[in-house]
Amino acid sequence: MSKAQIEELEAGSYLSFATLKRSGDWVATPVWFAPLDGHYYLFSASDAGKVKRLRNFSDARIAPCTVTGKLTGDWMDTEAVLLETPEGESTALKALHRKYGLQMKITDLLSGITGKKKNRAYIRVDIPQ
Protein backbone atom coordinates (compact mmCIF):
# COMPACT_ATOMS: atom_id res chain seq x y z
CA MET A 1 0.00 0.00 0.00
CA SER A 2 1.42 3.37 -0.99
CA LYS A 3 1.91 6.25 1.42
CA ALA A 4 -0.75 8.20 -0.52
CA GLN A 5 -3.26 5.36 -0.08
CA ILE A 6 -2.54 5.19 3.65
CA GLU A 7 -2.93 8.95 4.04
CA GLU A 8 -6.19 8.91 2.07
CA LEU A 9 -7.57 6.08 4.16
CA GLU A 10 -6.51 7.47 7.51
CA ALA A 11 -7.88 10.94 6.72
CA GLY A 12 -11.41 9.56 6.83
CA SER A 13 -13.61 8.38 9.67
CA TYR A 14 -14.86 5.24 7.95
CA LEU A 15 -13.50 2.39 5.95
CA SER A 16 -15.37 -0.24 4.03
CA PHE A 17 -14.43 -3.59 5.53
CA ALA A 18 -15.19 -6.56 3.28
CA THR A 19 -15.11 -10.17 4.38
CA LEU A 20 -15.32 -13.31 2.31
CA LYS A 21 -18.31 -15.65 2.21
CA ARG A 22 -18.00 -19.38 1.57
CA SER A 23 -19.49 -18.72 -1.88
CA GLY A 24 -16.51 -16.49 -2.73
CA ASP A 25 -18.59 -13.29 -2.63
CA TRP A 26 -17.41 -10.28 -0.64
CA VAL A 27 -19.65 -8.53 1.88
CA ALA A 28 -18.69 -4.95 2.72
CA THR A 29 -19.68 -2.85 5.72
CA PRO A 30 -18.70 0.72 6.63
CA VAL A 31 -16.97 0.75 10.02
CA TRP A 32 -15.02 3.02 12.34
CA PHE A 33 -11.33 2.16 12.41
CA ALA A 34 -8.19 3.33 14.12
CA PRO A 35 -4.57 3.00 12.99
CA LEU A 36 -1.87 1.83 15.40
CA ASP A 37 1.60 0.44 14.68
CA GLY A 38 0.89 -0.57 11.08
CA HIS A 39 -2.48 -2.17 11.81
CA TYR A 40 -6.06 -0.97 11.79
CA TYR A 41 -8.41 -1.82 14.62
CA LEU A 42 -12.19 -1.97 14.50
CA PHE A 43 -15.07 -3.43 16.44
CA SER A 44 -18.37 -5.11 15.76
CA ALA A 45 -21.11 -7.05 17.47
CA SER A 46 -19.73 -10.52 18.17
CA ASP A 47 -22.68 -12.13 16.37
CA ALA A 48 -22.37 -9.96 13.24
CA GLY A 49 -21.90 -11.63 9.87
CA LYS A 50 -18.43 -10.15 9.37
CA VAL A 51 -17.26 -11.76 12.62
CA LYS A 52 -18.72 -15.12 11.63
CA ARG A 53 -17.07 -14.90 8.20
CA LEU A 54 -13.69 -14.03 9.78
CA ARG A 55 -13.84 -17.26 11.74
CA ASN A 56 -13.76 -19.05 8.35
CA PHE A 57 -11.47 -16.80 6.30
CA SER A 58 -8.85 -14.25 7.33
CA ASP A 59 -8.89 -12.68 3.86
CA ALA A 60 -10.34 -9.17 3.96
CA ARG A 61 -10.39 -6.01 1.90
CA ILE A 62 -10.55 -2.38 2.93
CA ALA A 63 -11.24 0.86 1.12
CA PRO A 64 -11.95 4.42 2.22
CA CYS A 65 -15.66 5.19 2.26
CA THR A 66 -18.40 7.47 3.52
CA VAL A 67 -20.68 6.71 6.47
CA THR A 68 -23.14 5.15 4.02
CA GLY A 69 -20.47 2.86 2.54
CA LYS A 70 -19.92 4.73 -0.75
CA LEU A 71 -16.32 4.01 -1.75
CA THR A 72 -14.03 7.01 -2.08
CA GLY A 73 -10.92 5.03 -3.00
CA ASP A 74 -9.66 1.68 -4.19
CA TRP A 75 -9.86 -1.70 -2.46
CA MET A 76 -6.73 -3.00 -0.73
CA ASP A 77 -6.29 -6.70 0.06
CA THR A 78 -5.55 -7.41 3.73
CA GLU A 79 -5.66 -10.09 6.38
CA ALA A 80 -7.88 -9.69 9.45
CA VAL A 81 -7.97 -11.50 12.77
CA LEU A 82 -10.36 -11.55 15.68
CA LEU A 83 -8.67 -10.37 18.87
CA GLU A 84 -9.54 -12.80 21.61
CA THR A 85 -7.22 -11.80 24.44
CA PRO A 86 -7.80 -8.99 26.94
CA GLU A 87 -4.51 -7.42 25.81
CA GLY A 88 -5.55 -7.41 22.15
CA GLU A 89 -8.97 -6.01 22.94
CA SER A 90 -7.41 -3.32 25.15
CA THR A 91 -5.01 -2.30 22.36
CA ALA A 92 -7.92 -2.00 19.92
CA LEU A 93 -10.03 0.03 22.33
CA LYS A 94 -7.14 2.40 23.12
CA ALA A 95 -6.57 3.01 19.40
CA LEU A 96 -10.28 3.67 18.83
CA HIS A 97 -10.44 6.05 21.81
CA ARG A 98 -7.40 7.92 20.51
CA LYS A 99 -8.98 8.45 17.09
CA TYR A 100 -12.63 9.05 18.00
CA GLY A 101 -12.29 10.57 21.48
CA LEU A 102 -15.62 11.67 22.91
CA GLN A 103 -17.59 9.89 20.17
CA MET A 104 -16.08 6.56 21.22
CA LYS A 105 -16.63 7.29 24.92
CA ILE A 106 -20.30 8.00 24.25
CA THR A 107 -20.55 4.84 22.13
CA ASP A 108 -19.00 2.85 24.99
CA LEU A 109 -21.35 4.41 27.53
CA LEU A 110 -24.48 3.69 25.49
CA SER A 111 -23.24 0.20 24.63
CA GLY A 112 -22.61 -0.43 28.31
CA ILE A 113 -26.11 0.71 29.28
CA THR A 114 -27.74 -1.50 26.64
CA GLY A 115 -25.49 -4.48 27.39
CA LYS A 116 -23.97 -4.50 23.91
CA LYS A 117 -20.43 -3.62 25.01
CA LYS A 118 -19.87 -7.05 26.59
CA ASN A 119 -20.83 -8.64 23.25
CA ARG A 120 -18.27 -6.80 21.15
CA ALA A 121 -15.65 -8.38 18.95
CA TYR A 122 -12.46 -6.50 18.18
CA ILE A 123 -10.67 -7.00 14.88
CA ARG A 124 -7.11 -6.25 13.78
CA VAL A 125 -6.56 -5.63 10.08
CA ASP A 126 -3.01 -6.32 8.93
CA ILE A 127 -1.84 -4.24 6.00
CA PRO A 128 0.66 -5.87 3.64
CA GLN A 129 3.81 -3.81 3.24
Side-chain angles (χ1 to χ4, degrees):
M1 179 164 26
S2 73
K3 185 174 180 169
Q5 285 176 301
I6 291 171
E7 288 173 358
E8 177 186 13
L9 183 65
E10 292 181 5
S13 294
Y14 293 88
L15 64 77
S16 185
F17 179 65
T19 51
L20 194 59
K21 292 172 69 171
R22 289 184 195 271
S23 68
D25 293 333
W26 291 96
V27 180
T29 309
V31 294
W32 276 0
F33 72 102
L36 181 65
D37 297 332
H39 307 283
Y40 293 121
Y41 293 91
L42 49 108
F43 68 99
S44 179
S46 60
D47 61 351
K50 64 180 131 320
V51 173
K52 292 175 185 177
R53 288 186 294 275
L54 276 178
R55 293 192 194 288
N56 296 316
F57 304 102
S58 63
D59 295 339
R61 300 160 95 190
I62 59 171
C65 73
T66 66
V67 66
T68 61
K70 181 178 184 215
L71 296 185
T72 59
D74 296 328
W75 285 110
M76 294 167 258
D77 292 327
T78 64
E79 297 285 322
V81 295
L82 295 172
L83 301 174
E84 301 183 288
T85 66
E87 296 81 13
E89 292 174 357
S90 176
T91 298
L93 197 53
K94 285 178 188 173
L96 289 158
H97 275 264
R98 185 178 325 139
K99 180 167 183 173
Y100 294 99
L102 184 59
Q103 286 178 290
M104 191 66 197
K105 288 181 182 182
I106 291 169
T107 298
D108 284 346
L109 176 66
L110 295 175
S111 294
I113 291 169
T114 62
K116 292 180 179 181
K117 188 173 181 185
K118 65 181 181 196
N119 293 320
R120 272 190 195 163
Y122 294 92
I123 299 165
R124 185 187 73 224
V125 177
D126 300 326
I127 310 301
Q129 300 300 322

